[in-house]
Amino acid sequence: MAHAGGENEAPANTLYAFKRAVKLGANMLELDVQSTKDDQLVVIHNATVDQTTDGTGKVRDLTFEQVHKLDAAYNFIPGRHAVPGEPPESYPLRGVRTGDKEPPPGYQPSDFAIPKLADVLEAFPRTPINIEIKGTSDADIPSFLHNAKLLARLLKKTGRTDFIVTSFNDLAVAKFHLLAPDIPIAPGMAGLAAYFLLGVKPMHGTVALQIPVRYQGLEIATPEFIRRAHADGYAVHVWFSGTAPDDEATYNRIIDSCADGLMPAYPALLERILDERGIERPGRPGVDPCG
C-alpha cells in the first residue's frame, strides 16, 4: 500500500509517484486529501503547499487552478522526502512540472503537479485506494467534516467500493460513513485507542485497523495485537512515517508479525523483500509468512 505513492522514492501524492508504485507492484495506493477554495478535493498531505512545492499558502485559500500550477516535486530529495532549502542540485525532479526539465520517459509534466482526486481515481480505475481525510489543522474540526462531505459525494458518484476511507479525526470518519455507508472505513486515533486499550470495537463499516509501528513509545504493531484484531474480523495495515524506520529490518519484522498490509515510503524496497521471500500478494501466489 504505497504510502503517498512512496514519498522517499518519488514526490509524495503525485501521479508520477502513484504510477511508478503501481508499476513496481503496489497492490493499493495510499493518499491524503485536502480541499481548495473552490471545493475541489486535491491530493496533498499538508494543509499548506509550502513544504512540497514552489508555492506558499493554505490549500484552502487557493483555487484548484492555482494549486495545480505548482511544482509538487520542487523540494523532493530521494531518500529524504520533501526538504526545502538545500542546494538546487539536490532536487533531481525540480522543474519538470514547469517544463524547465524533461520528464522521465513515459511521464509528462502534469504528473508532477498536485492532482485532483477525481483525476487519480480516473487514472487507476482498478487499483484499490486508501484515502485519508485531512483538515486545515487538528483543531479545525469543521474543515475535516467539510472534506468528509466532499469525499462522500465524489466517491459515491464513482460507483466503486474498492476504497478504504480513514482520518486521524474520528468525527470525519463518522461523517463520511453516514453519507456513504457502503464504502469501507478505518477508524481514527480515538477509535484505535479505544480498541487497543479497552477492546471497544470501532463503528460499523470498519474493515481494517491502520496502525503505527509505535506511538508515544508504546509498541502497537505487535503479533499479539494483530492476532486480536484478526480474531475480531479486522485486517491490520501498518504505517511507518515518523513511528519507525522505513527499512528492510522493520519491513521484515512487520511482515513476520502477520500484518495484512504495509504502507512503505520505499515501495521498491518492500517489493524486493516480498519477491526475495516469495510472499503471496493479491493475484500472485506465494508463501504465507504466517502459515
Side-chain angles (χ1 to χ4, degrees):
M1 302 171 66
H3 191 266
E7 70 267 33
N8 284 1
E9 294 180 351
N13 282 317
T14 60
L15 279 168
Y16 170 70
F18 298 141
K19 291 176 181 179
R20 178 182 176 277
V22 169
K23 286 179 181 178
L24 287 169
N27 307 107
M28 191 170 192
L29 296 172
E30 189 275 345
L31 55 81
D32 312 276
V33 292
Q34 300 271 6
S35 61
T36 61
K37 186 177 182 179
D38 47 352
D39 275 349
Q40 296 295 314
L41 283 173
V42 292
V43 183
I44 183 172
H45 180 279
N46 292 357
T48 71
V49 299
D50 299 52
Q51 182 185 1
T52 56
T53 80
D54 53 341
T56 186
K58 290 183 179 179
V59 177
R60 189 63 191 162
D61 293 336
L62 303 170
T63 66
F64 170 68
E65 183 178 359
Q66 290 172 314
V67 167
H68 191 60
K69 284 181 178 178
L70 299 174
D71 183 351
Y74 190 78
N75 288 325
F76 170 71
I77 298 177
R80 297 180 61 191
H81 186 25
V83 186
E86 297 293 317
E89 60 270 19
S90 304
Y91 306 103
L93 297 173
R94 177 181 285 186
V96 174
R97 171 68 184 116
T98 54
D100 298 319
K101 189 179 294 184
E102 285 294 315
Y107 298 95
Q108 54 193 358
S110 59
D111 290 331
F112 298 83
I114 296 173
K116 190 184 296 186
L117 176 60
D119 293 336
V120 176
L121 301 183
E122 184 178 349
F124 299 96
R126 288 174 292 278
T127 302
I129 301 177
N130 195 90
I131 303 172
E132 182 178 341
I133 301 167
K134 293 291 189 180
T136 58
S137 71
D138 290 346
D140 187 359
I141 305 303
S143 69
F144 281 93
L145 299 180
H146 180 75
N147 293 343
K149 180 179 178 181
L150 293 177
L151 182 61
R153 183 186 304 161
L154 175 61
L155 297 190
K156 285 171 67 176
K157 287 180 181 178
T158 69
R160 293 170 56 177
T161 56
D162 59 341
F163 305 116
I164 299 176
V165 171
T166 188
S167 176
F168 270 41
N169 186 289
D170 286 85
L171 292 176
V173 179
K175 179 70 170 180
F176 175 86
H177 181 61
L178 179 67
L179 298 173
D182 294 331
I183 295 176
I185 56 174
M189 293 304 287
L192 285 174
Y195 180 81
F196 183 83
L197 298 172
L198 304 172
V200 177
K201 291 185 179 181
M203 73 183 73
H204 178 75
T206 296
V207 297
L209 305 178
Q210 299 186 338
I211 60 174
V213 176
R214 63 179 64 94
Y215 185 70
Q216 295 185 351
L218 184 65
E219 291 291 328
I220 306 297
T222 64
E224 295 75 20
F225 174 81
I226 293 170
R227 281 196 295 270
R228 172 156 68 97
H230 286 168
D232 286 335
Y234 304 119
V236 178
H237 304 150
V238 179
W239 48 273
F240 303 86
S241 51
T243 75
D246 259 278
D247 60 17
E248 185 166 358
T250 308
Y251 290 173
N252 274 306
R253 178 162 65 86
I254 299 304
I255 291 168
D256 292 335
S257 296
C258 302
D260 304 283
L262 283 72
M263 299 183 181
Y266 291 102
L269 172 60
L270 177 58
E271 197 66 26
R272 176 177 65 78
I273 293 168
L274 296 173
D275 285 341
E276 288 176 352
R277 295 183 59 176
I279 292 174
E280 65 178 351
R281 279 90 96 195
R284 297 177 64 178
V287 175
D288 178 355
C290 295

